Amino acid sequence: GENVEQHPSTLSVQEGDSAVIKCTYSDSASNYFPWYKQELGKRPQLIIDIRSNVGEKKDQRIAVTLNKTAKHFSLHITETQPEDSAVYFCAAPNYGGSQGNLIFGKGTKLSVKP
Amino acid sequence: GAGVSQSPRYKVAKRGQDVALRCDPISGHVSLFWYQQALGQGPEFLTYFQNEAQLDKSGLPSDRFFAERPEGSVSTLKIQRTQQEDSAVYLCASSLGIGGRTGGYTFGSGTRLTVV
């Protein structure tokens, strides 16, 4: 089955700096890679996703890059703001399961200091 | 409904008590997933339903855990004889397509279960 590794586990940046979170996956059949943001005590919310037919996707200050050969993908947040502080999770489908349920990384706690 | 609704929001159970957690997915969503999220960890897969069929229950940690979705909409996760290690947030998610590879999940707010 799929294995997703995420790092770093914690990340502290100054407001306005960039933040990068990296994930690796093990199953070369995986073709969909979402990122979720979870604020304290709230539900995980999808912020951006990428499919394996593209190498990069951007949405305002957020971008995701995918390297299929190396089996890793990264979340990039530019011009960070205090409201970006949250836990971020990457995920990949588990094709070892029956229907490709998402397997999540352990999360990265991002703190943006004003 | 507009989103995925879970109830109760919080549940405190005495060890050995049975609990039932409810999930009402987005109307028309085919896929429904249950995840367990321990404090400071990522969501861990428990089970998956496609309409009323439970197609994957490989993540259920023991036979004390049981899930159903009899009419292909509302789902219930039942935990029998709760233990302290069952304390966690139980998240329900739904998606329009089949499985997790056709698009992102929409999560509910979760049920925080505390076993004392």
Side-chain angles (χ1 to χ4, degrees), chain B residues 7-24:
Chain B
S7 61
R9 188 76 175 88
Y10 302 94
K11 176 69 179 178
V12 178
K14 292 184 177 180
R15 191 172 58 180
Q17 184 179 355
D18 297 350
V19 298
L21 313 180
R22 176 188 168 103
C23 173
D24 196 346

Side-chain angles (χ1 to χ4, degrees), chain A residues 67-85:
Chain A
N67 183 326
K68 289 175 57 181
T69 302
K71 288 190 273 189
H72 67 71
F73 57 110
S74 299
L75 178 70
H76 305 253
I77 306 174
T78 58
E79 300 172 25
T80 53
Q81 301 169 3
E83 52 265 38
D84 294 330
S85 296

Side-chain angles (χ1 to χ4, degrees), chain A residues 33 35 48-50 55-58 62-66 73-76:
Chain A
F33 307 94
W35 285 89
I48 195 168
D49 55 16
I50 191 169
E56 183 176 8
K57 183 178 178 181
K58 289 183 179 179
I62 294 173
V64 56
T65 58
L66 172 64
F73 57 110
S74 299
L75 178 70
H76 305 253

Side-chain angles (χ1 to χ4, degrees), chain A residues 43 45, chain B residues 1-6 23-29 92-94 106-109:
Chain A
R43 70 187 75 193
Q45 291 195 302
Chain B
V4 178
S5 178
Q6 290 188 247
C23 173
D24 196 346
I26 293 173
S27 178
H29 275 198
C92 175
S94 68
T106 300
F107 279 95
S109 294

